[in-house]
Amino acid sequence: MLSPEVQTSCRLIDRVAFKGSGKMLEVYTYDLPDSTHAAASVASDQQLSVHKFFELMGGKYPEDFSVTFQKGIRLYLGDRGGAGADWVQATKLLNKCLELRPGDTPSESALAYIKQHAGADGACPADWKGFRNLTEK
C-alpha cells in the first residue's frame, strides 16, 4: 500500500480487462522526475529507505500538465461504464499534454488507442464500457 503522499504522485492512465477475466482494473503510473541530481542521490545510497526514495524521486508534474492530463484521461475513460466519455475532447486535451510534456508515454498510448478505435467523427464506439480489453495474456 502506498502512502497518501506517494499516491498523489501516481496518475490513472487506463482501465483494462485481461483476456478471459472480465474484471476491470485501473492502471496507474508513478512518474520519475527528470532531475539527474535526484537520480544520482538515489544511485549512491544503497541503504535508501522506501520513504526516502519517494522523497527524492517525487514524480509530480506542473499543475497545468497534471490538471490537463487528468481531465483528458477522464474524458477518454468516462465513468466505470463508459458513460460521459468524450474522445473528441479527450484527444484535444491529451494533445495539449504532449505540447506541455513532449514524449509523455501515457498520453501517447491513450491517443493511439483512440485513433485506432474511434469512429470517423472521432467519437468513442457506442459500446465503449470505459476500459479496453486486453487480447493477450
Side-chain angles (χ1 to χ4, degrees), residues 38-135:
S41 296
V42 169
S44 68
D45 188 351
Q46 294 182 1
Q47 297 299 321
L48 191 67
S49 70
V50 171
H51 176 76
K52 187 68 173 174
F53 171 82
F54 285 110
E55 181 182 310
L56 289 171
M57 299 301 283
K60 293 189 178 185
Y61 285 125
E63 188 71 20
D64 57 342
F65 174 85
S66 297
V67 168
T68 303
F69 181 82
Q70 185 177 40
K71 287 178 183 177
I73 213 72
R74 292 288 176 193
L75 286 169
Y76 153 60
L77 296 171
D79 67 16
R80 288 186 179 265
D86 183 340
W87 285 10
V88 173
Q89 290 302 313
T91 296
K92 291 176 184 176
L93 291 168
L94 294 169
N95 277 318
K96 177 68 174 172
C97 288
L98 292 176
E99 290 174 20
L100 296 168
R101 191 156 183 87
D104 180 62
T105 304
S107 296
E108 292 173 339
S109 177
L111 285 166
Y113 186 84
I114 290 170
K115 183 177 180 181
Q116 184 177 7
H117 297 279
D121 61 355
C124 63
D127 63 349
W128 175 246
K129 302 292 185 212
F131 63 90
R132 62 170 108 177
N133 286 302
L134 300 180
T135 57

